[in-house]
Amino acid sequence: SALLSPDGKRIAVTCTCGVADSVSRERLLIAVPARAEHTVLIEDAMASLPEAILITSGTKVLHVNREFTRLFGYSFEEMAGSEIDSFPQPGAQANEFDLIRQIVETRGRASFETVRRAKNGLLVDVSAVCAAIKTGDGAVGYILSYRDIRDEKQNRAKLQHSALHDVLTGLPNRALFLD
C-alpha cells in the first residue's frame, strides 16, 4: 500500500487501519511506513491516545498502549502473544469476540458496549470499536479501542432513579407507578 504525503510524494506503508469513535464520530488513521525510522513516532502516537488500544496479528495480541495498562492493569508483557479470547471477560461475554469478528468481516467494523474484567478483578464497563487491520492481500489482524464508560452508566442510573422516585422521600413516584 502507499499514501500520498502533503507534497505529493508516495510513501510506502506496511499497513493502514482506521479507528472510529462511534460517539464523537472522530476518525483516526494509522499508517505504518515501510521505513523503520517512523516506528518511534507511531509508538509515541499510540501511547498518547486517550483510548485503551489493543492490536492483534490474527487472534494473537501484538500491542497494547499505556491507556490499556492503566484501564485494565495488564502490561504489554502480560498481553503480548496471548490469544484475544484470553482477555478476561465475564461469563456472559465468553464468545463475544467470535461474534465481533463476524460483524467486522461483513461491515468493516463493530461498535459495542461490553464489560471486561480488570487485573484487579473489578468489572469495567467500556464502549469499544473493533476494526480489521488490512493490507493489500486482506485482513491480517484487528485493532480494538476501549473507552471507560463507568461514570456515564452511573450518571444514567442516577437520572433514571431521579425520574422515577420522589427527591425528598426516595419513594416511587407516579411515573414509576404508571409504568
Side-chain angles (χ1 to χ4, degrees):
S1 298
L3 295 176
L4 289 178
S5 68
D7 60 359
K9 293 181 183 176
R10 292 178 60 94
I11 301 171
V13 294
T14 56
C15 69
T16 60
C17 61
V19 178
D21 183 340
S22 59
V23 176
S24 66
R25 305 260 185 222
E26 294 177 353
R27 295 181 187 270
L28 170 68
L29 177 68
I30 301 171
V32 180
R35 299 185 319 244
E37 68 245 22
H38 290 76
T39 304
V40 173
L41 177 62
I42 298 297
E43 288 176 5
D44 288 345
M46 292 295 289
S48 301
L49 290 172
E51 290 86 20
I53 303 291
L54 181 142
I55 300 173
T56 71
S57 176
T59 59
K60 296 237 186 249
V61 176
L62 198 64
H63 181 75
V64 296
N65 69 350
R66 283 187 211 144
E67 182 61 17
F68 184 94
T69 300
R70 189 201 65 75
L71 183 59
F72 299 114
Y74 294 99
S75 68
F76 167 76
E77 292 78 13
E78 292 172 303
M79 293 298 293
S82 64
E83 286 289 327
I84 184 70
D85 292 335
S86 69
F87 180 39
Q89 306 170 65
Q93 282 84 15
N95 297 321
E96 184 179 65
F97 191 69
D98 290 333
L99 176 62
I100 293 165
R101 189 174 15 214
Q102 291 172 4
I103 294 170
V104 170
E105 287 174 9
T106 57
R107 296 185 184 165
R109 77 169 159 229
S111 299
F112 54 100
E113 285 187 8
T114 189
V115 177
R116 291 290 180 265
R117 188 174 307 282
K119 186 176 180 179
N120 63 9
L122 294 177
L123 295 178
V124 181
D125 292 307
V126 292
S127 171
V129 176
C130 179
I133 298 174
K134 296 183 179 190
T135 61
D137 57 354
V140 294
Y142 300 91
I143 183 165
L144 289 105
S145 170
Y146 298 97
R147 188 173 51 86
D148 186 351
I149 59 169
R150 288 177 286 191
D151 291 341
E152 292 173 28
K153 287 189 99 169
Q154 286 177 352
N155 289 339
R156 276 188 247 152
K158 286 178 186 175
L159 285 172
Q160 185 175 5
H161 184 269
S162 295
L164 301 175
H165 293 81
D166 182 75
V167 177
L168 184 60
T169 64
L171 295 172
N173 64 15
R174 180 176 170 84
L176 182 59
F177 174 75
L178 292 173
D179 187 39

